[in-house]
Amino acid sequence: MEGLERILREHPFFAGLGDASADLVCGCAKNVRFEAGQYLFREGEPADQFYLVRHGRVALELSAPGRGAITIQTLGEGDVVGLSWLIPPYRWTNDARAIDLVRAIAIDGACLRQKCEDDHDLGYEMMKRVVPILVERLQATRLQLLDVYGVRA
Amino acid sequence: MVPRIARLRRKRRDGPQVWTLDLELEDRHASEAPRFAPGQFNMLTVFGVGEVPISVSGDPAAPDRLVHTIRSVGAVSSALTRLAPGAAIGFRGPFGTGWPMEETVARDVVIVAGGLGLAPLRPALYRLLADRLRYGRIVLLYGARSPEDILFRSELESWRRRLDIAIEVTVDHATSAWRGRVGVVPALVARADFDPLHAIALVCGPEVMMRFAVAALRDAGVADESIYLSMERNMKCAIAFCGHCQLGTVFVCREGPVFRHDRIRGLLALKEI
Ligand SMILES: Cc1cc2nc3c(=O)[nH]c(=O)nc-3n(C[C@H](O)[C@H](O)[C@H](O)COP(=O)(O)OP(=O)(O)OC[C@H]3O[C@@H](n4cnc5c(N)ncnc54)[C@H](O)[C@@H]3O)c2cc1C
Ligand code: FES
């Protein structure tokens, strides 16, 4: 458990987390690995686990009819894969596929959500960490939508 | 200013609708090969079609090869990319301010390029790599639309094998056949390894991308005075005469296209006039 807590606190997502909160999060965490090509989760499934990547890269994908899987973002060491665990209706909105061997910490979203309900300090702490990532990804999506490298109409 | 005549010596495809053209001046004497600074541009004419500003994308150490990388978007640019070797092209230049190469000495150099914006930065990269010991860390962050649109791909791959430059390439979208990064280029800034207090940043790409890249550089701690951008504005005369390129009170053709960020901060979001 000690090793896991140290790894967790060293991950950028949990940087500066207080002792009490780290304890609570740790109770919902475990080490996992995925082989290249394996899916961490699939679109539409309940978002009951999210991942702190320690090693390797993950592709977030959307499947479009006739176009196959489109990669919308890749994430790697130090990134969080999956934010929908904190936001109703707690369902994944894309697929997440391991590009190469991925080592990560999996956190049980339902477990952590319950702890956030019971302890709003922890809940606020999680919100403060998740919302900036959401905003950053929203900005990035907007830039991608603008298709800035295309020929101006 | 009457154009000189250049001949198309060679052309290479560098992406969908993108061609790199090597030109040679017809009236060339060794002494008057137009030396250019990285970041400068020339006005190229296709006779009977028109004239457009195009950045030099070649090696400043080999000025007798006039290299330009052109994307076919309209009448003149597509006529340029359709020319066959041996064709005559009107040539005026070089024009404009270049990248502040002297300012880069002894500092970390962070280059952020988007799409075709890598073309005017390539001469700067040649210069930096030719004299590698004069600089601190060199970081190139490059974003393209898709894997097929990556400019100068084989050259980027060979630079990537060097141990003295960090290169990150990302694309806006890809299929699962692409094993590289997907995401926007400004997002790479926060993870890049450089010392923001001693770094100088050279940024070129579509304006929206540059605005986000500048924001990311400032968030990382790079001062406005250390961020340089290359601005594209429609041009006609290139000699501060016609007013076509005016951005507020500045003439991009003469005072630009490369500007220090603190000097154009207020103008970056201005629409073309
Ligand atoms: C200083 C400077 C350096 C430049 N360097 C290069 C270079 O190295 N390589 C290069 O290919 N181009 C470069 N350009 C842009 C190039 O000058 C224009 O693409 C060209 O003038 C378009 O002329 P056209 O007659 O082919 O198309 P137009 O008929 O003028 O335009 C056709 C269509 O293309 C769109 N368009 C025009 N310019 C751009 C652009 N830059 N990006 C996206 N869409 C555009 C227009 O909105 C229009 O819809 C540079 C411009 C400047 C000011
Ligand atoms: S292009 Fe004519 S003033 Fe700049």
Side-chain angles (χ1 to χ4, degrees):
Chain A
M1 199 49 154
E2 257 192 338
L4 189 61
E5 181 163 338
R6 186 181 46 78
I7 293 168
L8 208 111
R9 297 174 81 148
E10 280 170 3
H11 195 279
F13 181 71
F14 282 123
L17 192 69
D19 291 344
S21 299
D23 255 9
L24 289 169
V25 176
C26 216
C28 304
K30 65 175 185 214
N31 258 312
V32 290
R33 59 178 272 163
F34 296 90
E35 302 300 325
Q38 233 183 320
Y39 282 82
L40 283 68
F41 52 74
R42 295 275 198 171
E43 181 183 342
E45 289 174 356
D48 48 14
Q49 274 200 340
F50 68 101
Y51 302 91
L52 309 181
V53 182
R54 299 177 53 208
H55 175 90
R57 288 174 312 143
V58 176
L60 303 186
E61 297 178 339
L62 272 179
S63 295
R67 290 177 65 190
I70 312 285
T71 305
I72 44 177
Q73 191 182 18
T74 51
L75 298 169
E77 193 180 317
D79 286 323
V80 182
V81 179
L83 302 170
S84 304
W85 65 276
L86 192 56
I87 298 134
Y90 316 119
R91 234 188 342 261
W92 298 126
T93 53
N94 50 257
D95 300 335
R97 179 180 52 86
I99 297 175
D100 27 41
L101 172 73
V102 169
R103 288 202 194 86
I105 300 199
I107 299 189
D108 181 332
C111 160
L112 192 53
R113 269 199 312 267
Q114 191 52 55
K115 291 188 181 179
C116 290
E117 281 300 337
D118 298 343
D119 176 349
H120 286 182
D121 283 349
L122 178 68
Y124 183 57
E125 192 65 53
M126 290 303 125
M127 281 294 180
K128 278 202 298 188
R129 286 161 198 270
V130 166
V131 171
I133 302 175
L134 274 174
V135 171
E136 191 190 309
R137 294 192 189 167
L138 174 65
Q139 298 278 29
T141 308
R142 283 178 176 159
L143 258 187
Q144 286 166 316
L145 268 179
L146 276 176
D147 194 18
V148 288
Y149 305 127
V151 175
R152 294 193 296 257
Chain B
M1 222 178 138
V2 184
R4 297 162 77 183
I5 305 292
R7 293 270 164 202
L8 174 56
R9 264 186 23 182
R10 222 159 66 103
K11 65 193 267 197
R12 283 182 301 286
R13 195 165 176 276
D14 257 320
Q17 300 174 321
V18 178
W19 292 83
T20 294
L21 310 187
D22 291 4
L23 313 179
E24 193 173 44
L25 282 172
E26 204 154 63
D27 56 353
R28 179 171 66 100
H29 305 293
S31 58
E32 58 166 285
R35 299 213 148 263
F36 68 89
Q40 285 192 304
F41 68 94
N42 293 312
M43 297 297 288
L44 302 184
T45 301
V46 180
F47 296 107
V49 186
E51 188 182 44
V52 288
I54 301 290
S55 308
V56 182
S57 67
D59 188 345
D64 50 336
R65 265 183 63 213
L66 301 166
V67 183
H68 300 80
T69 300
I70 303 166
R71 180 162 67 150
S72 152
V73 297
V76 185
S77 53
S78 71
L80 275 167
T81 56
R82 278 200 311 267
L83 292 174
I89 293 173
F91 178 97
R92 295 194 291 137
F95 294 114
T97 53
W99 299 107
M101 298 312 294
E102 274 313 305
E103 308 278 316
T104 59
V105 175
R107 297 169 77 175
D108 287 0
V109 186
V110 184
I111 293 180
V112 189
L116 215 66
L118 185 58
L121 280 162
R122 189 167 68 162
L125 278 157
Y126 285 135
R127 175 73 60 82
L128 295 170
L129 293 176
D131 223 347
R132 182 65 190 87
L133 294 178
R134 295 181 81 198
Y135 312 98
R137 278 168 283 198
I138 301 178
V139 177
L140 168 62
L141 309 175
Y142 176 53
R145 190 180 194 211
S146 74
E148 296 72 45
D149 291 289
I150 294 170
L151 210 57
F152 312 136
R153 184 156 180 174
S154 55
E155 201 163 25
L156 286 177
E157 283 168 354
S158 75
W159 282 338
R160 214 173 173 167
R161 286 193 286 274
R162 293 176 62 133
L163 300 175
D164 56 2
I165 173 170
I167 300 187
E168 293 295 345
V169 176
T170 186
V171 300
D172 270 2
H173 17 95
T175 64
S176 41
W178 164 250
R179 292 184 55 83
R181 281 178 194 273
V182 179
V184 297
V185 67
L188 299 179
V189 172
R191 295 282 176 88
D193 182 25
F194 61 88
D195 176 358
L197 298 180
H198 297 107
I200 180 164
L202 315 180
V203 185
C204 187
E207 233 164 277
V208 186
M209 171 244 138
M210 291 203 289
R211 290 213 300 272
F212 281 85
V214 166
L217 286 161
R218 297 172 84 199
D219 288 347
V222 183
D224 277 332
E225 298 75 39
S226 299
I227 302 176
Y228 289 81
L229 316 171
S230 181
M231 303 291 294
E232 274 191 13
R233 280 293 182 273
N234 286 337
M235 287 185 187
K236 249 200 166 76
C237 70
I239 50 173
F241 182 69
C242 72
H244 252 76
C245 66
Q246 238 176 314
L247 185 58
T249 56
V250 301
F251 292 96
V252 176
C253 67
R254 185 178 60 192
E255 283 123 280
V258 175
F259 292 94
R260 212 170 84 175
H261 183 242
D262 56 320
R263 301 195 172 130
I264 49 153
R265 200 166 25 205
L267 302 174
L268 199 52
L270 281 190
K271 304 264 182 299
E272 242 153 272
I273 50 169

